[in-house]
PDB file of all heavy atoms in Angstrom:
ATOM      1  N   LEU A 170     223.005 184.892-129.593  1.00  0.00           N
ATOM      2  CA  LEU A 170     222.112 184.457-128.511  1.00  0.00           C
ATOM      3  C   LEU A 170     220.772 183.975-129.073  1.00  0.00           C
ATOM      4  O   LEU A 170     220.297 182.884-128.755  1.00  0.00           O
ATOM      5  CB  LEU A 170     221.897 185.625-127.527  1.00  0.00           C
ATOM      6  CG  LEU A 170     220.756 185.469-126.527  1.00  0.00           C
ATOM      7  CD1 LEU A 170     221.026 184.310-125.570  1.00  0.00           C
ATOM      8  CD2 LEU A 170     220.539 186.762-125.728  1.00  0.00           C
ATOM      9  N   ALA A 171     220.172 184.812-129.932  1.00  0.00           N
ATOM     10  CA  ALA A 171     218.837 184.479-130.434  1.00  0.00           C
ATOM     11  C   ALA A 171     218.877 183.209-131.282  1.00  0.00           C
ATOM     12  O   ALA A 171     218.082 182.292-131.084  1.00  0.00           O
ATOM     13  CB  ALA A 171     218.272 185.643-131.240  1.00  0.00           C
ATOM     14  N   LYS A 172     219.836 183.152-132.207  1.00  0.00           N
ATOM     15  CA  LYS A 172     219.804 182.050-133.172  1.00  0.00           C
ATOM     16  C   LYS A 172     220.484 180.776-132.660  1.00  0.00           C
ATOM     17  O   LYS A 172     220.024 179.689-132.937  1.00  0.00           O
ATOM     18  CB  LYS A 172     220.432 182.497-134.490  1.00  0.00           C
ATOM     19  CG  LYS A 172     219.562 183.545-135.198  1.00  0.00           C
ATOM     20  CD  LYS A 172     219.835 183.641-136.679  1.00  0.00           C
ATOM     21  CE  LYS A 172     218.742 184.452-137.368  1.00  0.00           C
ATOM     22  NZ  LYS A 172     219.015 184.686-138.786  1.00  0.00           N
ATOM     23  N   PHE A 173     221.599 180.907-131.936  1.00  0.00           N
ATOM     24  CA  PHE A 173     222.309 179.698-131.483  1.00  0.00           C
ATOM     25  C   PHE A 173     221.899 179.305-130.059  1.00  0.00           C
ATOM     26  O   PHE A 173     221.907 178.141-129.711  1.00  0.00           O
ATOM     27  CB  PHE A 173     223.833 179.898-131.520  1.00  0.00           C
ATOM     28  CG  PHE A 173     224.367 180.432-132.822  1.00  0.00           C
ATOM     29  CD1 PHE A 173     225.585 181.106-132.859  1.00  0.00           C
ATOM     30  CD2 PHE A 173     223.677 180.256-134.014  1.00  0.00           C
ATOM     31  CE1 PHE A 173     226.098 181.590-134.055  1.00  0.00           C
ATOM     32  CE2 PHE A 173     224.172 180.748-135.220  1.00  0.00           C
ATOM     33  CZ  PHE A 173     225.391 181.423-135.230  1.00  0.00           C
ATOM     34  N   GLY A 174     221.571 180.321-129.247  1.00  0.00           N
ATOM     35  CA  GLY A 174     221.260 180.039-127.855  1.00  0.00           C
ATOM     36  C   GLY A 174     219.782 179.747-127.640  1.00  0.00           C
ATOM     37  O   GLY A 174     219.404 178.720-127.076  1.00  0.00           O
ATOM     38  N   MET A 175     218.923 180.668-128.097  1.00  0.00           N
ATOM     39  CA  MET A 175     217.489 180.544-127.829  1.00  0.00           C
ATOM     40  C   MET A 175     216.762 179.735-128.897  1.00  0.00           C
ATOM     41  O   MET A 175     215.578 179.443-128.752  1.00  0.00           O
ATOM     42  CB  MET A 175     216.852 181.938-127.734  1.00  0.00           C
ATOM     43  CG  MET A 175     217.379 182.765-126.566  1.00  0.00           C
ATOM     44  SD  MET A 175     216.969 184.534-126.712  1.00  0.00           S
ATOM     45  CE  MET A 175     215.186 184.511-126.645  1.00  0.00           C
ATOM     46  N   GLY A 176     217.460 179.426-129.993  1.00  0.00           N
ATOM     47  CA  GLY A 176     216.851 178.604-131.041  1.00  0.00           C
ATOM     48  C   GLY A 176     215.815 179.337-131.874  1.00  0.00           C
ATOM     49  O   GLY A 176     214.940 178.711-132.469  1.00  0.00           O
ATOM     50  N   LEU A 177     215.888 180.685-131.940  1.00  0.00           N
ATOM     51  CA  LEU A 177     214.960 181.406-132.814  1.00  0.00           C
ATOM     52  C   LEU A 177     215.433 181.242-134.259  1.00  0.00           C
ATOM     53  O   LEU A 177     216.635 181.252-134.520  1.00  0.00           O
ATOM     54  CB  LEU A 177     214.905 182.904-132.476  1.00  0.00           C
ATOM     55  CG  LEU A 177     214.707 183.314-131.019  1.00  0.00           C
ATOM     56  CD1 LEU A 177     214.388 184.804-130.941  1.00  0.00           C
ATOM     57  CD2 LEU A 177     213.622 182.511-130.347  1.00  0.00           C
ATOM     58  N   ARG A 178     214.515 181.093-135.159  1.00  0.00           N
ATOM     59  CA  ARG A 178     214.906 180.933-136.559  1.00  0.00           C
ATOM     60  C   ARG A 178     214.765 182.251-137.318  1.00  0.00           C
ATOM     61  O   ARG A 178     215.537 182.540-138.223  1.00  0.00           O
ATOM     62  CB  ARG A 178     214.018 179.867-137.208  1.00  0.00           C
ATOM     63  CG  ARG A 178     214.575 179.425-138.532  1.00  0.00           C
ATOM     64  CD  ARG A 178     213.815 178.243-139.106  1.00  0.00           C
ATOM     65  NE  ARG A 178     214.564 177.687-140.220  1.00  0.00           N
ATOM     66  CZ  ARG A 178     215.342 176.631-140.126  1.00  0.00           C
ATOM     67  NH1 ARG A 178     215.466 175.998-138.991  1.00  0.00           N
ATOM     68  NH2 ARG A 178     215.990 176.199-141.195  1.00  0.00           N
ATOM     69  N   HIS A 179     213.766 183.032-136.930  1.00  0.00           N
ATOM     70  CA  HIS A 179     213.460 184.239-137.704  1.00  0.00           C
ATOM     71  C   HIS A 179     213.840 185.492-136.935  1.00  0.00           C
ATOM     72  O   HIS A 179     213.349 185.725-135.828  1.00  0.00           O
ATOM     73  CB  HIS A 179     211.970 184.286-138.040  1.00  0.00           C
ATOM     74  CG  HIS A 179     211.480 183.025-138.684  1.00  0.00           C
ATOM     75  ND1 HIS A 179     212.052 182.516-139.831  1.00  0.00           N
ATOM     76  CD2 HIS A 179     210.511 182.148-138.330  1.00  0.00           C
ATOM     77  CE1 HIS A 179     211.433 181.385-140.163  1.00  0.00           C
ATOM     78  NE2 HIS A 179     210.504 181.138-139.265  1.00  0.00           N
ATOM     79  N   GLY A 180     214.718 186.275-137.518  1.00  0.00           N
ATOM     80  CA  GLY A 180     215.103 187.551-136.919  1.00  0.00           C
ATOM     81  C   GLY A 180     215.630 188.441-138.021  1.00  0.00           C
ATOM     82  O   GLY A 180     216.366 187.990-138.906  1.00  0.00           O
ATOM     83  N   ASP A 181     215.225 189.688-138.001  1.00  0.00           N
ATOM     84  CA  ASP A 181     215.662 190.604-139.055  1.00  0.00           C
ATOM     85  C   ASP A 181     215.908 191.959-138.413  1.00  0.00           C
ATOM     86  O   ASP A 181     215.699 192.135-137.204  1.00  0.00           O
ATOM     87  CB  ASP A 181     214.589 190.680-140.157  1.00  0.00           C
ATOM     88  CG  ASP A 181     215.153 191.174-141.490  1.00  0.00           C
ATOM     89  OD1 ASP A 181     216.369 191.429-141.594  1.00  0.00           O
ATOM     90  OD2 ASP A 181     214.359 191.307-142.441  1.00  0.00           O
ATOM     91  N   GLY A 182     216.352 192.940-139.215  1.00  0.00           N
ATOM     92  CA  GLY A 182     216.640 194.256-138.667  1.00  0.00           C
ATOM     93  C   GLY A 182     215.896 195.346-139.424  1.00  0.00           C
ATOM     94  O   GLY A 182     215.385 195.117-140.518  1.00  0.00           O
ATOM     95  N   ASN A 183     215.890 196.553-138.824  1.00  0.00           N
ATOM     96  CA  ASN A 183     215.309 197.683-139.547  1.00  0.00           C
ATOM     97  C   ASN A 183     216.161 198.042-140.767  1.00  0.00           C
ATOM     98  O   ASN A 183     215.746 198.840-141.596  1.00  0.00           O
ATOM     99  CB  ASN A 183     215.116 198.893-138.623  1.00  0.00           C
ATOM    100  CG  ASN A 183     216.433 199.428-138.085  1.00  0.00           C
ATOM    101  OD1 ASN A 183     217.507 198.912-138.386  1.00  0.00           O
ATOM    102  ND2 ASN A 183     216.353 200.471-137.277  1.00  0.00           N
TER     103      ASN A 183
END
Side-chain angles (χ1 to χ4, degrees):
L170 166 65
K172 292 201 167 175
F173 310 157
M175 296 165 63
L177 311 192
R178 194 172 192 99
H179 308 304
D181 201 2
N183 63 0

